[in-house]
Amino acid sequence: MALNKDFLWGGAVAAHQIEGGWQEGGKGISIADVMTAGDNITKKPRRITDGVLPGENYPNHEASDFYHHYKEDIALLAEMGFKCFRTSIAWTRIFPNCDEEQPNEEGLKFYDNVFDECLKYGIEPIVTLSHFEMPYYMAKHYGGFRNRKCIDFFVKFATVCFDRYKDKVKYWMTFNEINNQADPTPHHLVQEGAILAEEGEDLEYVMYQSAHYELVASALAVKAGHEINPNFKIGCMIAMCPVYPYSCKPDDVLAAQRFMQGKYWYTDVHVKGKYPNWLPKKFERKGWNMDITNEDLSILKEGTVDYIAFSYYMSFAVEANEANPYYDYLEKDFVKNPHVKASDWGWQIDATGLRYALNWFSDRFDVPLMIVENGFGAYDKVEADGTIDDSYRIEYLSNHIKAMIDAVDNEGVNLIGYTMWAPIDIVSASTGEMDKRYGFVYVDKNNAGEGTLNRSKKKSFHWYKQVIATNGQNLV
Ligand code: BG6
């Protein structure tokens, strides 16, 4: 057997994409609640509105209504044999604005119920503390993580959760895909740092400064968590899209290496507790006066993570570009890779890239790895008899699982779990669509928000059940 018998097979979601109930149980408004629906066909992007405005379509308000369906949904996960289920705790259910003295008991109770329901079936809950759903109030009134004060709000939120669920949850992660903001677009800054970009700001500077505060907040949370329960495993969460050189031209190879540095330095800070050498050089070159104190640097050292969780969907390719002489990480420099196909959303499908990613992490960091997202967003068709043949999803997942097993079997990668994204159809984070589906379980709801919210099993539901039952031996 390539995989350990305790291997954590499961699936992953995020509160804002599945729960709905945006105003129930005393919940406050999160940044996801002010994001409108986009559309892949017309290429309409999601917009961030100034508060919740009448007449706009906010898909996360109802999402898949897990808030009211969690028992039914968790029973379906149990039927597939899930060993674990990754979800996030919506920060605004616990601290609706971020700066309250006391947490919201009704919000805490909701997650007690969810975790108890998982544990009833022997499913281990795995929890992300912050998954693109920081309080809108924090962004609006404090400027999000560009403000050092927000470190305290996060640490308080984390500590309340650690304390409350210390006997129910062992695996935690702090900030989901903290490195998505490497290319600091306003959308990325809102999702990752809850920062509403202001006119004329240097977004790159804002990103590095606020990412520093987030990394300090993460390290403080790791320290606090270990004090509350020394058995906790607290990880970081990195969006891994390997960047390949477009050609073997030396400048392309260097560009790819520099892009990997630009996208993955967050992992160095989380795991090694220090900045890589190239970053202080960059701050100097830019003439930025960074607020990074000696005390911060000690905190980063003391609060290193126990494992690396990462998502993997696709790979990128880059060509050296004279207009980018320092090889700063900018997504506009990416080029299409002619050797791989892409999904309907243009995401390049590359199972070998997952094996590459596992080896890349394994060579650099001596901590266990967990794949906490990997999946295939696609348009699904419900046949007249109600069945859904999503063989394309099975093909994507089985190729990636095969690559993952090869990395463990052949290269000795220390991998402890795999939670595919997302076992139940949910709202897409990038486009706000329901019709970009990832699930084994179909949710009857479309982009316009119409549907019964009924759940039904796709072909892949039965496939994943036997993947888990055979510990990844039977992938067909
Ligand atoms: C990851 C996020 O980036 O990718 C998830 O952590 C997201 O929240 C997933 O849903 C898939 O992306 P999308 O845009 O297809 O939902």
Side-chain angles (χ1 to χ4, degrees), residues 331-346:
E331 289 178 10
K332 65 179 172 48
D333 284 336
F334 287 143
V335 289
K336 203 172 158 328
N337 180 343
H339 304 288
V340 297
K341 295 200 182 111
S343 77
D344 286 335
W345 280 261

Side-chain angles (χ1 to χ4, degrees), residues 89-279:
I89 293 181
W91 189 337
T92 52
R93 286 201 192 283
I94 314 303
F95 289 101
N97 284 342
C98 77
D99 57 2
E100 292 84 350
E101 273 300 308
Q102 295 302 323
N104 170 33
E105 175 54 31
E106 230 184 311
L108 288 167
K109 184 76 186 79
F110 171 67
Y111 292 104
D112 270 322
N113 295 344
V114 170
F115 301 151
D116 288 344
E117 198 64 21
C118 289
L119 294 169
K120 180 172 118 187
Y121 296 105
I123 297 176
E124 172 126 35
I126 297 182
V127 172
T128 321
L129 286 163
S130 180
H131 191 137
F132 305 169
E133 54 211 5
M134 297 180 209
Y136 178 64
Y137 184 90
M138 187 172 106
K140 191 79 186 158
H141 291 263
Y142 291 98
F145 270 101
R146 74 154 77 68
N147 184 344
R148 189 179 263 279
K149 210 173 161 36
C150 292
I151 296 177
D152 297 341
F153 298 140
F154 177 77
V155 175
K156 184 164 176 185
F157 162 60
T159 308
V160 164
C161 295
F162 290 148
D163 205 39
R164 176 74 169 223
Y165 308 117
K166 59 178 176 297
D167 300 322
K168 298 182 183 180
V169 178
K170 173 177 169 190
Y171 288 97
W172 301 85
M173 51 202 90
T174 52
F175 291 96
N176 184 67
E177 294 189 337
I178 189 169
N179 61 323
N180 271 354
Q181 54 194 324
D183 187 357
T185 62
H187 179 91
H188 284 153
L189 287 180
V190 165
Q191 283 198 323
E192 305 300 328
I195 292 160
L196 299 169
E198 281 165 18
E199 213 40 47
E201 274 190 309
D202 176 350
L203 294 188
E204 203 188 6
Y205 162 74
V206 170
M207 185 279 287
Y208 279 103
Q209 184 60 69
S210 59
H212 172 72
Y213 293 148
E214 286 182 79
L215 289 160
V216 172
S218 172
L220 285 168
V222 171
K223 279 175 71 174
H226 286 148
E227 276 159 30
I228 291 169
N229 184 344
N231 294 325
F232 276 170
K233 299 289 174 209
I234 310 174
C236 56
M237 199 306 203
I238 303 293
M240 169 46 88
C241 309
V243 185
Y244 302 152
Y246 183 72
S247 76
C248 52
K249 200 163 88 193
D251 284 351
D252 285 356
V253 176
L254 180 63
Q257 183 182 50
R258 293 280 297 120
F259 269 54
M260 291 293 279
Q261 290 177 331
K263 184 128 168 116
Y264 300 109
W265 63 269
Y266 309 77
T267 327
D268 293 274
V269 183
H270 272 306
V271 185
K272 297 180 178 165
K274 65 184 180 83
Y275 277 86
N277 295 334
W278 66 272
L279 257 177

Side-chain angles (χ1 to χ4, degrees), residues 17 131-132 176-177 313 347 373 421 428-430 436 438:
Q17 292 172 264
H131 191 137
F132 305 169
N176 184 67
E177 294 189 337
Y313 292 90
W347 291 22
E373 289 186 31
W421 185 267
S428 153
S430 57
K436 187 180 188 188
Y438 285 88

Side-chain angles (χ1 to χ4, degrees), residues 355-418:
R355 183 166 169 184
Y356 176 91
L358 284 160
N359 276 289
W360 190 88
F361 279 126
S362 175
D363 284 350
R364 284 168 180 76
F365 305 104
D366 195 17
V367 291
L369 305 176
M370 197 190 301
I371 300 168
V372 291
E373 289 186 31
N374 172 235
F376 191 57
Y379 295 107
D380 289 339
K381 182 163 179 278
V382 185
E383 304 297 340
D385 64 358
T387 57
I388 297 154
D389 180 351
D390 58 342
S391 300
Y392 37 85
R393 182 166 296 111
I394 295 174
E395 185 188 342
Y396 176 98
L397 291 171
S398 73
N399 288 340
H400 284 74
I401 293 173
K402 163 94 177 49
M404 159 186 112
I405 291 176
D406 286 344
V408 173
D409 211 10
N410 192 55
E411 286 100 58
V413 167
N414 180 7
L415 182 71
I416 55 176
Y418 173 86

